[in-house]
Amino acid sequence: MELLGWVTASLFAPPGEALFRELAAGTLEEALEELTGHPVALPRVLPEELQAAYTALFVANPKGVPAPPYAGYALDGQLLGPSLYRLLELYREGGLEVQDSWRDLPDHLAALGEAIALLSPVRPELAQRAATEFLLPWLEGFTQAVKDHDPTGFYAQLVDLLKEALHAKKGVSQA
């Protein structure tokens, strides 16, 4: 679950130097191969194209953001809904605090991925709950939107692989 969390955090953070290094070194593909149990070849995308795709999918889009990267939005259909407060309680129960330097909502998928990774070695049951109750509903609700609106195919493939990995960790088949 720890690796799943770090990959989620990396995928949903705005693309920058760290992601570009992971892609150049092949470490993201290696992590995804470990999570899914099969070879993974990610599409090669120029950094500026990846940044544009990320922005259009998750941040700002004239036609509306197709996949808002907030777990609570997937569960409640709104920001700052009851799911955000349930997630904050899970964070508190696990001894996690949202840092003042974090400039987004605490249910942003990058923060959720980091929480899953941090909780995994010390409170694995909470990491599992975070993944099942918050990450999985987002993946189930927005995978198709990402596929439909990702001009690069990069994020479309990644959300499929994350969903596959999470189902494998839960031991359930995908519909």
Side-chain angles (χ1 to χ4, degrees), residues 72 75-89 134:
L75 292 163
D76 305 328
Q78 65 181 20
L79 297 176
L80 305 172
S83 295
L84 169 67
Y85 298 100
R86 284 196 351 262
L87 181 60
L88 286 172
E89 182 55 38
F134 297 95

Side-chain angles (χ1 to χ4, degrees), residues 83-151:
S83 295
L84 169 67
Y85 298 100
R86 284 196 351 262
L87 181 60
L88 286 172
E89 182 55 38
L90 186 145
Y91 287 175
R92 277 190 288 281
E93 188 178 338
L96 300 178
E97 295 179 11
V98 178
Q99 298 297 309
D100 290 338
S101 60
W102 179 248
R103 297 278 185 226
D104 211 322
L105 296 175
D107 64 337
H108 189 284
L109 297 179
L112 177 60
E114 189 171 328
I116 291 167
L118 293 170
L119 289 169
S120 191
V122 293
R123 297 289 305 269
E125 76 286 359
L126 290 180
Q128 181 68 42
R129 268 188 55 212
T132 303
E133 293 177 24
F134 297 95
L135 178 58
L136 185 58
W138 189 94
L139 289 168
E140 289 177 342
F142 287 107
T143 292
Q144 192 59 52
V146 173
K147 288 179 177 183
D148 291 346
H149 297 281
D150 179 7

Side-chain angles (χ1 to χ4, degrees), residues 22-91:
E22 289 175 9
L23 291 170
T27 55
L28 185 56
E29 287 172 326
E30 289 171 10
L32 289 163
E33 287 175 10
E34 184 175 330
L35 287 169
T36 62
H38 60 76
V40 171
L42 295 172
R44 300 292 176 223
V45 181
L46 294 172
E48 56 273 9
E49 290 174 0
L50 198 58
Q51 289 168 329
Y54 180 90
T55 299
L57 288 166
F58 307 121
V59 180
N61 189 314
K63 296 178 184 173
V65 175
Y70 301 97
Y73 192 85
L75 292 163
D76 305 328
Q78 65 181 20
L79 297 176
L80 305 172
S83 295
L84 169 67
Y85 298 100
R86 284 196 351 262
L87 181 60
L88 286 172
E89 182 55 38
L90 186 145
Y91 287 175

